[in-house]
Amino acid sequence: MTETQANTVAALAGKPRFLALDVFRGATIFLMILVNTSGPGAAPYPQLVHAKWFGFTLADLVFPTFLFAMGNAMSFAFRKPVATGPFLARLFKRGAIIFVLGYLMYWFPFVEQGAHGWELKPFALTRVPGVLQRLALCYVLAALLIRWLKPRQLLLAAIALLLGYWAILLAFSPPGMAYDKYANIGTQIDLWLLGPGHLYKKDAGFDPEGLLGTLPATVNVIAGYLAGLAIVQGGDLRRTVGRMALVGVALVLAGLAWSPWFPIAKKLWTGSYVLLTVGLDLLLLGGAIWLIEIAGFKRGTRFFTILGRNPLAIYLFSELFVTVLGMIPAGEHGGAYDAAGVGVFQAIAPGPFGSLLCAFAYTMLCWTVGWWMDRKGLILKA
């Protein structure tokens, strides 16, 4: 089925399909892979690296944008009435599958070289929180709220989540340590429930996808859902895009205004960070809708829709295959990915640009897998 036919079928079914949303989601996946697989041998450009604690970079926009895009998709997926029992069964099943896939992704390749040969990687040292795990938890929590709350009530719930998270950090962290990476109550909950062995290994006992951060991160999903509703039900698309732009600017300014008291920090997923990222996403999505749906500029959009149609499969491939490449011995540079990054791309363009070229080449490899799956009609769904 061609893209035009898909749009026609969706419209006949009473569910208008917006190409801009698919492009938005696909562009997010592209940038996510580019950021996650920076080439070795040189430091990447600062904007392609997450802020160490307080602060904001382009890389810090990727994950909340994916949550926002997931909320957009939910505004279409949840339009058909479903009885409560089947809805909950499907919801928790999908959430569990995404969570387990994330856990298995961190456990992969499941074995390691030990003193007596290959041994099973111990469960006690496998990370439990993670990107897909947070996606799963936010999806379930947002879906439950969406199921039983009206749009205005959802907005109030989002405000309550942000203020409630702020209050929890201030009230239950040691005095003056609410924003400390290791002393804040969120980190203490993760250490108490999971232990250091199940947390992120590169940050000495702190996990950027910890459990408490699920509360504010769910607001990014709710915002995406409400934006999707506005697009579908708004009538005049030009007016809707204008309103999205105004709200986006207002939220960016609100996030910056809040930041002196609640600093912008992706790893802590602060309320100011949520307002900033939601505001930017509204501006970006509004711009995509204006360009594609209103101005009619569709040339090259398939490049991104290929990624947007199969985001779970492509993301999993990008994370697993780079791990496989790292396991292949390649002389003095270690694994094959490092050898290619240093021996090929740093030789072509030493420094940050060579690192970017390496990441871009790998991202295009992942795109090629998505293109092949699209041609074969293969869609991985939880």
Side-chain angles (χ1 to χ4, degrees):
M1 181 182 290
T2 66
E3 193 164 30
T4 302
Q5 290 172 327
N7 292 342
T8 302
V9 170
L12 291 173
K15 297 182 180 181
R17 181 187 182 95
F18 290 91
L19 176 61
L21 298 181
D22 291 333
V23 172
F24 181 76
R25 184 167 56 248
T28 304
I29 290 294
F30 185 89
L31 188 57
M32 179 179 285
I33 299 171
L34 194 73
V35 167
N36 288 348
T37 53
S38 58
Y45 290 109
Q47 283 298 315
L48 297 180
V49 180
H50 294 296
K52 291 185 177 180
W53 192 235
F54 297 154
F56 186 76
T57 68
L58 178 63
D60 293 328
L61 182 61
V62 176
F63 192 9
T65 301
F66 195 82
L67 291 169
F68 184 88
M70 183 170 68
N72 284 160
M74 291 166 71
S75 68
F76 291 86
F78 289 4
R79 293 186 72 194
K80 183 178 179 180
V82 179
T84 300
F87 170 82
L88 292 176
R90 189 181 308 166
L91 173 66
F92 287 115
K93 178 182 177 182
R94 189 179 189 194
I97 290 174
I98 295 173
F99 192 98
V100 170
L101 285 174
Y103 175 78
L104 293 176
M105 184 182 76
Y106 289 122
W107 198 7
F108 182 82
F110 313 119
V111 294
E112 60 185 4
Q113 187 71 41
H116 304 289
W118 289 103
E119 301 172 350
L120 187 68
K121 292 176 68 175
F123 170 80
L125 298 179
T126 304
R127 185 186 181 194
V128 172
V131 171
L132 288 180
Q133 294 91 316
R134 175 162 285 184
L135 281 171
L137 294 175
C138 289
Y139 170 75
V140 170
L141 180 54
L144 291 173
L145 293 172
I146 289 167
R147 173 75 179 187
W148 280 285
L149 297 181
K150 296 178 181 179
R152 288 187 179 181
Q153 294 171 324
L154 274 175
L155 185 58
L156 293 175
I159 295 171
L161 286 171
L162 293 183
L163 294 179
Y165 175 62
W166 193 24
I168 290 170
L169 285 176
L170 292 173
F172 296 101
S173 301
M177 305 295 282
Y179 309 141
D180 182 84
K181 181 181 288 189
Y182 303 106
N184 78 80
I185 185 60
T187 299
Q188 295 308 308
I189 290 173
D190 292 336
L191 289 169
W192 176 62
L193 283 177
L194 303 173
H198 288 302
L199 301 180
Y200 188 58
K201 298 299 186 292
K202 298 179 181 180
D203 228 336
F206 169 81
D207 200 300
E209 277 78 50
L211 297 175
L212 188 60
T214 301
L215 299 179
T218 301
V219 176
N220 292 86
V221 182
I222 293 173
Y225 173 80
L226 292 174
L229 280 186
I231 294 166
V232 174
Q233 301 175 359
D236 186 342
L237 198 54
R238 290 177 182 270
R239 183 181 301 173
T240 301
V241 169
R243 289 174 177 172
M244 287 174 63
L246 288 175
V247 174
V249 170
L251 288 177
V252 169
L253 294 176
L256 295 174
W258 196 3
S259 63
W261 295 273
F262 202 8
I264 294 169
K266 183 263 181 188
K267 292 184 178 181
L268 193 57
W269 215 283
T270 56
S272 58
Y273 170 72
V274 173
L275 295 184
L276 175 63
T277 54
V278 169
L280 291 173
D281 284 333
L282 286 171
L283 292 171
L284 290 171
L285 180 57
I289 293 173
W290 183 88
L291 186 65
I292 296 170
E293 310 294 347
I294 297 174
F297 186 84
K298 295 180 169 61
R299 181 174 297 177
T301 54
R302 188 169 181 268
F303 178 88
F304 293 109
T305 59
I306 283 174
L307 296 173
R309 289 196 186 105
N310 232 333
L312 181 59
I314 295 170
Y315 174 72
L316 284 171
F317 173 82
S318 71
E319 293 289 328
L320 296 177
F321 191 61
V322 77
T323 301
V324 171
L325 291 176
M327 296 171 59
I328 299 173
E332 61 178 332
H333 298 302
Y337 190 74
D338 286 351
V342 176
V344 177
F345 294 99
Q346 285 300 313
I348 295 172
F353 188 63
S355 175
L356 178 61
L357 282 179
C358 181
F360 179 78
Y362 184 75
T363 305
M364 289 305 301
L365 172 64
C366 297
W367 181 89
T368 303
V369 173
W371 171 82
W372 175 80
M373 294 183 71
D374 190 65
R375 284 200 63 185
K376 297 294 183 180
L378 301 174
I379 303 291
L380 178 62
K381 295 182 178 180

